[in-house]
Every structure is written in C-alpha cells, then in structure tokens.
Amino acid sequence: GNFLFLGDYVDRGCNGPEVVAYLLAQKLLAPTKWFLLRGNHEIRSNNGVVHPAGFKGQCFSRFGQPEGLVVWEEVNKVFDRLPLAALVRDEIFCCHGGPPRPINRPDPNTSNGGEASAGTRLAALRQVPVPFDPDDTEWAHTPMQPAIACHPR
C-alpha cells in the first residue's frame, strides 16, 4: 500500500525533528509509496515560536543555537515545497484542514471590525510557496544526524 500524510508533522509532541527525519527518509527510500502534504504547522509562522515544545525550540535543543536555526530553516525549505492537496484515484480530494495563520488574521485596515477581506485572504494564499520544480538545482540532500533526546516537560 501507499501512505498519504496530511500534514502537522511538527508541534505535536517532543520528537518533531525525529518525525520529520523519519518521514523524509521514507520518502527518499520509497518515493512512489510515501506522499507528504503540507499542513498549517509546516509554515514558519506556526512552527517558528521558540518554545521548548515547539519545533524551532526542539531544533535548538537537539542541535544547539546556530546549527538548530540552520536545521529549522532547511526543514522549512522542504516544507515550502510540499503540495497542499492530493487526489486519490481521481476521486478523493485530500488536504489538511487547518489554514495557515495569515489567512485568518484580522486586517486592521478594514472598516468591518477587523475581519480579513477575501482579497486579503487570497493575497495570503498567494504568498504560500509552490511545490518544488524537480529541475530546481537548489534542491539538495543535506545530511542530518537524528537526535534521541526528548525535551523534559
């Protein structure tokens, strides 16, 4: 069988970096069997909060301050290239249910009580990077060493 994951690989426990490393390793080993979609936590504004239980904080605790920031940024570059939706057997539409934060942020420049306009929400969607181009020369394999430690609560 094949596997389709709908997102939120990080910010769901104390092993975000390990979960991402495992899923990406599986995708590399069996690219036609493993499919990863982008959820709302695969966006920097959601996973970039420096908190011990958050993905960025976990990267810092595993790899140290300068290297952790590099790991966090490089993983987010991978997230930037994940597709937002998939179609299974030309019948079943699959996507993550949580929108990224900028779509629901109130627009202080509106006269309707701060609710974001459709144009503002559409502009926010257009800022989400598109899935990667396989001919893109920037796409490279960066070795990552898995960490075993879990941040204490």
Side-chain angles (χ1 to χ4, degrees):
N2 295 334
F3 301 93
L4 174 62
F5 293 87
L6 302 181
D8 281 6
Y9 313 115
V10 299
D11 298 332
R12 294 291 179 252
C14 64
N15 296 309
E18 293 81 5
V19 169
V20 170
Y22 177 78
L23 290 172
L24 293 178
Q26 293 301 322
K27 180 67 176 168
L28 289 171
L29 290 171
T32 60
K33 293 181 75 64
W34 290 71
F35 300 92
L36 307 174
L37 298 183
R38 187 176 189 182
N40 63 324
H41 282 267
E42 285 72 52
I43 294 176
R44 287 169 184 80
S45 62
N46 280 4
N47 70 37
V49 178
V50 182
H51 182 276
F55 181 57
K56 192 173 192 179
Q58 290 171 2
C59 289
F60 286 168
S61 71
R62 304 297 196 284
F63 304 102
Q65 191 75 350
E67 292 85 5
L69 184 60
V70 171
V71 170
W72 176 80
E73 180 59 35
E74 293 301 316
V75 170
N76 272 285
K77 285 181 183 178
V78 173
F79 290 163
D80 288 345
R81 298 172 184 279
L82 292 178
L84 298 176
L87 192 59
V88 177
R89 286 188 232 126
D90 290 325
E91 295 178 356
I92 304 167
F93 177 77
C94 301
C95 68
H96 182 76
R101 283 185 185 180
I103 293 174
N104 287 334
R105 279 211 179 119
D107 184 350
N109 300 318
T110 63
S111 59
N112 62 356
E115 185 176 326
S117 67
T120 301
R121 291 190 302 267
L122 186 57
L125 277 175
R126 287 187 176 134
Q127 291 177 355
V128 175
V130 296
F132 90 101
D133 175 2
D135 297 325
D136 185 356
T137 57
E138 185 181 323
W139 185 254
H141 301 289
T142 305
M144 291 177 55
Q145 293 183 334
I148 303 299
C150 183
H151 183 76
R153 293 181 185 222

